[in-house]
């Protein structure tokens, strides 16, 4: 054991720490390591030299605290080789780790009462915690590590934060990232404070689980249960706490047994301190597709108010004692529109009545009634139009604003909406099944886009709930981490580029060198897939034109060549990693890049065949060979994911898209694999794409610096976009044209803030007058469809650009203006 500091220095240290803790602005710099391999003066040895400090909890504390303590003990054992004893009760002599919640742990409360531990600013805080060393806390104890939370989740987060500090990734189990062995674990002396979080409720939505999470749970992870049940949810809940999340919308498709149909699920959630909610389509914690047993036509609040209300009342009566976020409102049985109200006025009246009745149910059953129960209202799809038309959402109900299902938030709270006691939140998608085309397969939403949209929402006051649709969890691990990291501490990540976040995340998992390489690879992956996601490789056919996509043959060759190169590089980096990191690298980097490249080859090689079969049959047959090779590559990658890594742990989690014929109108048409006699060796096709020069940028990029604008790396198909920070901001393109011609401005398909339903900007040539461009933004129309599939809106300029040297000015006249490029449209 390292010698303690001299008494005068210890007193000065304690006073300094107490003063720091009293300041609500004090927070630990999480980039500074908390645990070291060697001890410094005053440091505390947690584990090493053949022993580990016991971990103490109080029997009167919450169950989640005991769960977190047990997990921490196992983590310490995994890292150090020595497992701490976990026991309930106070210190018995000797150094110890004490984990407890303020007001619920007698040993910790005694330290506070005696002035040995200052908790100024912690009492009453939301989900906050302190990790502190205390000298001579009790008779016979030289030193103790105290993890104290302001509430039960704060305490659990503290235990899992220490686990992360010793080298245990939150994704250790879910992404096969085993921690490295360390001979000794020394904790820095002092006090470290965390929280409160930037966003109060931070959660994930398990959705569209038919193709991954459900078959994996039912057949591989929990075949005895045969469904997504308590054993699977236990893994989900632990992951959530390690990521400092607190809210779950459970899986809800027809294949899955309704979460609350098994009482063990709700009890388990409560034991982990997880706040349970339900999606926008499932009012009052009811999973309609699994729990409504009556005739589906009777799920109609206009004609069967008593029956539907009794159905809601039953759930409130059973779940009243749990911490929940009750979804209020009204939609159809399975994510469909409201029935029984043919006019807008009727919809408004029915929705107002439903919310009033739901709150009366809460008054009858939930402690504190509707005045205290957590409630959310999600104006999703057509419900947003009803909200805009005018309904009464009670002040303490959180309005959760949705994105358009493709990562672009449809509406942001006004100052008045944000100031309501219920506040505002966001429902966001990293995975989606629906119109116009789903994306269920690979993780392709750029973190830069997520960060930009969520910061816009946060700055507008959406700070009560952030919920993200994550599909099957895998393969969106990095995206989930990023979203929840932002929700926990917005200011820590504000200004951090996509590349920097990826390098930090992957560096923690694989080391700095692999982290930088992985960040480069994923940056390119996100840029290429913003042009078109692998799930969106389908274009409407042009009349009398067999070239079905909007890309030229040269652009296709360059795209495929780059995708194949980054996939090959990812495989090379993975093979160079230590054996215990290769599976994780494949899951997180190798598979998504390899599958995306193969999917693109499959589609564009089939397109090449259609183009060339009558003009160059030999090239066409080689392209068909490439189609077959790509199909085989996808099958091999999928089999490797499901059975070839982690000892077959993930069997069933990863289907190749399209996996089946369900919901076929929202999924790309399968590419037909050619018969053997119709294809030849793909070598000629691959030689052409692999030797293709890099793609020439499509248009002129905006300047990286302009007053009133901010450059964002990683967003947009060109790898960056210039975002206007306020109306009136002006930027300019410098042009040198050899001939006059038409041009267009590419902007991101964002939505304006406030009540605006259109994007407003103006363009001016040289010193000429600005000419307005108004871009209506209506979800569901043709422009929106093109925008979410292309991840851009192409706006023709209202004049021809002349030859010579000129300056094109762009003025943002409203919010939501993100400029990607100026594109020459003179040539087809």
């Amino acid at each position: 054991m390292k010698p303690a500091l001299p008494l005068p220095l210890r007193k000065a240290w304690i006073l300094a720490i107490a003063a720091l803790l009293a300041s609500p602005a004090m927070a630990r710099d999480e980039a500074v390591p908390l645990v070291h391999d060697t001890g410094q003066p005053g440091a505390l040895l947690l584990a090493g030299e053949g022993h580990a400090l016991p971990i103490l909890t109080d029997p009167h504390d919450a169950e989640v605290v005991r769960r977190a303590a047990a997990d921490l003990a196992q983590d310490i054992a995994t890292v150090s080789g020595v497992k701490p004893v976990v026991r309930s009760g106070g210190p018995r002599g000797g150094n110890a780790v004490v984990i407890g919640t303020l007001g619920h742990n007698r040993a910790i409360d005694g330290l506070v009462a005696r002035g040995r531990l200052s908790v100024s600013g912690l009492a009453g805080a939301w989900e906050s915690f302190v990790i502190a060393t205390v000298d001579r806390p009790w008779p016979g104890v030289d030193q103790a590590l105290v993890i104290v939370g302001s509430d039960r989740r704060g305490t659990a987060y503290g235990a899992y934060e220490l686990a992360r500090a010793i080298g245990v990734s939150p994704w250790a189990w879910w992404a096969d990232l085993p921690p490295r062995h360390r001979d000794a674990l020394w904790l820095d002396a002092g006090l470290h404070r965390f929280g409160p979080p930037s966003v109060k409720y931070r959660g994930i939505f398990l959705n569209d689980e038919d193709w991954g999470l459900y078959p994996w749970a039912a057949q591989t992870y929990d075949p005895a249960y045969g469904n997504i049940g308590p054993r699977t949810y236990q893994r989900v809940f632990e992951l959530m706490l390690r990521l400092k999340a607190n809210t779950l919308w459970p899986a809800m498709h027809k294949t899955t047994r309704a979460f609350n149909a098994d009482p063990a699920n709700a009890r388990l959630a409560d034991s982990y301190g997880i706040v349970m909610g339900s999606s926008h389509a499932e009012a009052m914690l009811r999973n309609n597709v699994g729990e409504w047993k009556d005739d589906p036509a009777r799920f109609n609040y206009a004609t069967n108010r008593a029956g539907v209300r009794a159905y809601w009342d039953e759930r409130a009566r059973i779940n009243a004692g749990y911490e929940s976020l009750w979804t209020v409102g009204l939609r159809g049985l399975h994510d469909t529109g409201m029935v029984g109200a043919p006019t807008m006025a009727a919809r408004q009246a029915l929705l107002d009545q439903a919310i009033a009745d739901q709150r009366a149910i809460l008054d009858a059953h939930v402690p504190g009634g509707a005045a205290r129960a957590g409630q959310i209202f999600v104006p999703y799809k057509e419900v947003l139009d009803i909200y805009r038309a005018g309904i009464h959402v009670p002040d303490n109900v959180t309005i959760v604003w949705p994105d358009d299902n493709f990562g672009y938030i449809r509406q942001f709270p006004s100052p008045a909406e944000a100031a309501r006691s219920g506040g505002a939140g966001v429902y966001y998608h990293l995975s989606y099944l629906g119109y116009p085309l789903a994306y269920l397969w690979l993780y392709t939403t750029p973190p830069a886009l997520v960060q930009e949209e969520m910061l816009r929402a946060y700055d507008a006051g959406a700070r009560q709930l952030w919920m993200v649709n994550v599909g099957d969890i895998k393969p969106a691990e990095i995206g989930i981490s990023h979203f929840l990291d932002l929700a926990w501490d917005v200011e820590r990540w504000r200004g951090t580029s996509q590349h920097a976040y990826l390098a930090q995340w992957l560096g923690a998992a694989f080391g700095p060198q692999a982290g930088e390489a992985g960040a480069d690879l994923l940056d390119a992956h996100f840029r290429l897939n913003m042009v078109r996601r692998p799930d969106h490789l389908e274009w409407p056919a042009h009349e009398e034109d067999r070239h079905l996509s909007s890309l030229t043959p040269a652009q296709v060759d360059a795209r495929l060549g780059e995708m194949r190169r980054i996939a090959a590089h990812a495989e090379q980096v993975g093979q160079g990693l230590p054996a215990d990191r290769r599976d994780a690298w494949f899951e997180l980097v190798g598979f998504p890049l390899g599958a995306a490249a193969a999917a693109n080859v499959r589609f564009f090689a089939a397109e090449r065949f259609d183009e060339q079969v009558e003009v160059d049959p030999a090239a066409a047959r080689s392209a068909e060979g490439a189609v077959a090779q790509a199909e085989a590559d996808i099958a091999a990658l999928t089999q490797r994911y499901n059975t070839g890594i982690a000892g077959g742990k993930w069997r069933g989690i990863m289907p190749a898209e399209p996996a089946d014929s369900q919901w076929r109108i929202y999924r790309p048409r399968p590419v037909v694999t050619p018969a053997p006699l119709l294809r030849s060796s793909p070598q000629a096709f691959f030689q052409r794409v692999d030797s293709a020069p890099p793609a020439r940028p499509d248009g002129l990029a905006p300047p990286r610096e302009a007053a009133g604008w901010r450059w964002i790396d990683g967003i947009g198909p060109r790898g960056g976009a210039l975002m206007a920070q306020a109306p009136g901001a002006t930027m300019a393109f410098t042009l040198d044209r050899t001939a006059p011609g038409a041009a267009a401005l590419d902007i991101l398909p964002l939505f304006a803030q406030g009540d605006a339903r259109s994007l407003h900007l103006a363009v001016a040539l040289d010193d000429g007058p600005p000419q307005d461009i108004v871009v209506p933004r209506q979800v569901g129309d043709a422009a929106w469809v093109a925008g979410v599939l292309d991840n851009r809106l192409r706006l023709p300029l209202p004049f021809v650009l002349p030859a010579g040297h000129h300056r094109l000015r762009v003025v943002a006249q409203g919010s939501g203006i993100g400029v990607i490029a100026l594109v020459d449209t003179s040539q087809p």
Side-chain angles (χ1 to χ4, degrees), residues 667-690:
R667 300 163 82 186
R669 290 169 290 185
V671 174
V672 177
T673 303
L677 292 178
L678 300 179
R679 62 182 190 252
S680 64
S681 167
Q683 184 176 359
F685 179 86
F686 287 135
Q687 282 180 338
R688 171 173 171 160
V689 301
D690 291 343

Side-chain angles (χ1 to χ4, degrees), residues 317-330:
R317 182 164 31 85
I318 294 172
N319 287 56
Y322 297 127
E323 188 178 5
S324 305
L325 282 180
W326 300 87
T327 298
V328 299
L330 189 62

